[in-house]
Amino acid sequence: MNLFRIVADLSHLISIFILLHKMRATKSCAGVSFKSQALYLLVYITRYLDIFWTFNVSLYNTVYKLLFLCSSAYVLRLMKFEFKPTHDPNIDTFKSRYLLGGAAILALIFSSKYVFSEILWTFSIWLESVAILPQLFMVQRTGEAETLTTHYIFALGVYRALYIPNWLWRYFVDGYSEPVAVVAGLVQTALYCDFFYIYWTKVMKGKKFELPV
């Protein structure tokens, strides 16, 4: 365990708390992509369900895995039932099936071991790298986003970006490498670049998040 990993996981957890606070405070899920949230839940299911049959994992990992699984399922429940009238499917139109298909193909090609659990883990890594795309596409379609929504996306992006130095640390210090996770992390971080720039130049200066015309 290293500082990059700890801060990254904390940023991930904060992003979920921000999202839940936004939905509860405004009693709305407007501006939040249901498709992205569904993809993230699938990521956590395919990556973390091993806690129910693998009992040699650390308490740290177990707690975080349960938090991500439960909170993600809770977000989807809020969007599907309690705040459903506030979600507009007409702007949440990204074709997520292509992301699922692409992640499945990459998992079969690049899995280090062709056993079910390893293929699921590899699938979750590739899927997580692009799961934010429906959310970013939704922001692009509307041209703007609520401040709390941008904080959520930013914290989520920071989490993934910090995993890059985490993997480098593990390679140089621990002698451990996971090329699939590194490449997927780079892809995911690259997807956030434009968002990071606008967030820094507008939201961090107290302005509304709006895409350039």
CSV table of all heavy atoms in Angstrom, one decimal, residues 139 143-145 150 198 202-203 207-213:
chain,number,residue,atom,x,y,z
A,139,VAL,N,-22.8,15.8,-20.8
A,139,VAL,CA,-22.4,17.2,-20.5
A,139,VAL,C,-22.2,17.9,-21.8
A,139,VAL,O,-22.5,19.1,-22.0
A,139,VAL,CB,-21.1,17.2,-19.7
A,139,VAL,CG1,-20.5,18.6,-19.6
A,139,VAL,CG2,-21.4,16.6,-18.3
A,143,GLY,N,-24.1,21.1,-22.9
A,143,GLY,CA,-23.2,22.3,-22.9
A,143,GLY,C,-22.8,22.9,-21.6
A,143,GLY,O,-22.1,23.9,-21.5
A,144,GLU,N,-23.4,22.3,-20.5
A,144,GLU,CA,-23.1,22.8,-19.2
A,144,GLU,C,-23.4,21.7,-18.1
A,144,GLU,O,-23.9,20.7,-18.4
A,144,GLU,CB,-24.0,24.0,-18.9
A,144,GLU,CG,-25.5,23.7,-19.0
A,144,GLU,CD,-26.4,24.9,-18.8
A,144,GLU,OE1,-25.9,26.1,-19.0
A,144,GLU,OE2,-27.6,24.8,-18.4
A,145,ALA,N,-23.1,22.0,-16.9
A,145,ALA,CA,-23.3,21.1,-15.8
A,145,ALA,C,-23.4,21.8,-14.5
A,145,ALA,O,-22.8,22.8,-14.3
A,145,ALA,CB,-22.2,20.0,-15.7
A,150,THR,N,-20.0,18.6,-11.5
A,150,THR,CA,-18.6,18.8,-12.0
A,150,THR,C,-17.6,18.4,-10.9
A,150,THR,O,-16.6,17.8,-11.2
A,150,THR,CB,-18.3,20.2,-12.4
A,150,THR,OG1,-18.4,21.1,-11.3
A,150,THR,CG2,-19.3,20.7,-13.5
A,198,ILE,N,-11.4,22.7,-18.4
A,198,ILE,CA,-12.5,23.6,-18.2
A,198,ILE,C,-12.8,23.7,-16.8
A,198,ILE,O,-13.2,24.8,-16.3
A,198,ILE,CB,-13.7,23.1,-19.0
A,198,ILE,CG1,-13.4,23.0,-20.5
A,198,ILE,CG2,-15.0,24.0,-18.8
A,198,ILE,CD1,-14.5,22.4,-21.4
A,202,LYS,N,-12.7,27.4,-15.1
A,202,LYS,CA,-14.0,28.0,-14.8
A,202,LYS,C,-14.5,27.7,-13.4
A,202,LYS,O,-14.7,28.6,-12.6
A,202,LYS,CB,-15.0,27.5,-15.8
A,202,LYS,CG,-14.7,28.1,-17.2
A,202,LYS,CD,-15.9,28.0,-18.2
A,202,LYS,CE,-15.6,28.7,-19.5
A,202,LYS,NZ,-16.8,28.6,-20.4
A,203,VAL,N,-14.7,26.4,-13.1
A,203,VAL,CA,-15.3,26.1,-11.8
A,203,VAL,C,-14.4,26.5,-10.6
A,203,VAL,O,-14.8,27.0,-9.6
A,203,VAL,CB,-15.6,24.6,-11.7
A,203,VAL,CG1,-16.2,24.2,-10.3
A,203,VAL,CG2,-16.5,24.2,-12.8
A,207,LYS,N,-16.8,30.2,-11.6
A,207,LYS,CA,-17.6,30.4,-12.7
A,207,LYS,C,-18.5,29.1,-13.0
A,207,LYS,O,-18.1,28.1,-12.5
A,207,LYS,CB,-16.8,30.8,-14.0
A,207,LYS,CG,-16.0,32.0,-13.9
A,207,LYS,CD,-15.2,32.3,-15.1
A,207,LYS,CE,-14.3,33.5,-15.0
A,207,LYS,NZ,-13.5,33.7,-16.2
A,208,LYS,N,-19.5,29.3,-13.8
A,208,LYS,CA,-20.3,28.1,-14.1
A,208,LYS,C,-19.6,27.3,-15.1
A,208,LYS,O,-18.9,27.8,-16.0
A,208,LYS,CB,-21.7,28.6,-14.7
A,208,LYS,CG,-22.6,27.5,-15.0
A,208,LYS,CD,-24.0,28.0,-15.5
A,208,LYS,CE,-24.9,26.9,-15.8
A,208,LYS,NZ,-26.3,27.4,-16.3
A,209,PHE,N,-19.8,26.0,-15.0
A,209,PHE,CA,-19.1,25.1,-16.0
A,209,PHE,C,-19.9,25.1,-17.3
A,209,PHE,O,-21.1,24.6,-17.4
A,209,PHE,CB,-19.1,23.6,-15.4
A,209,PHE,CG,-18.4,22.6,-16.3
A,209,PHE,CD1,-17.1,22.3,-16.1
A,209,PHE,CD2,-19.0,22.0,-17.4
A,209,PHE,CE1,-16.4,21.4,-17.0
A,209,PHE,CE2,-18.4,21.2,-18.2
A,209,PHE,CZ,-17.1,20.8,-18.0
A,210,GLU,N,-19.3,25.7,-18.3
A,210,GLU,CA,-19.9,25.7,-19.6
A,210,GLU,C,-18.9,25.4,-20.7
A,210,GLU,O,-17.8,25.8,-20.6
A,210,GLU,CB,-20.5,27.1,-19.9
A,210,GLU,CG,-21.7,27.5,-19.1
A,210,GLU,CD,-22.3,28.8,-19.4
A,210,GLU,OE1,-21.5,29.7,-19.7
A,210,GLU,OE2,-23.5,29.0,-19.3
A,211,LEU,N,-19.3,24.6,-21.6
A,211,LEU,CA,-18.4,24.2,-22.7
A,211,LEU,C,-18.2,25.4,-23.7
A,211,LEU,O,-19.2,26.2,-23.9
A,211,LEU,CB,-18.9,23.0,-23.5
A,211,LEU,CG,-18.9,21.7,-22.7
A,211,LEU,CD1,-19.5,20.6,-23.5
A,211,LEU,CD2,-17.6,21.3,-22.1
A,212,PRO,N,-17.0,25.6,-24.3
A,212,PRO,CA,-16.8,26.7,-25.2
A,212,PRO,C,-17.8,26.5,-26.4
A,212,PRO,O,-18.0,25.4,-26.9
A,212,PRO,CB,-15.4,26.5,-25.7
A,212,PRO,CG,-14.7,25.7,-24.6
A,212,PRO,CD,-15.8,24.8,-24.0
A,213,VAL,N,-18.3,27.6,-26.9
A,213,VAL,CA,-19.2,27.5,-28.1
A,213,VAL,C,-18.4,27.4,-29.3
A,213,VAL,O,-17.4,28.1,-29.5
A,213,VAL,CB,-20.1,28.8,-28.2
A,213,VAL,CG1,-21.0,28.7,-29.4
A,213,VAL,CG2,-20.9,29.0,-26.9
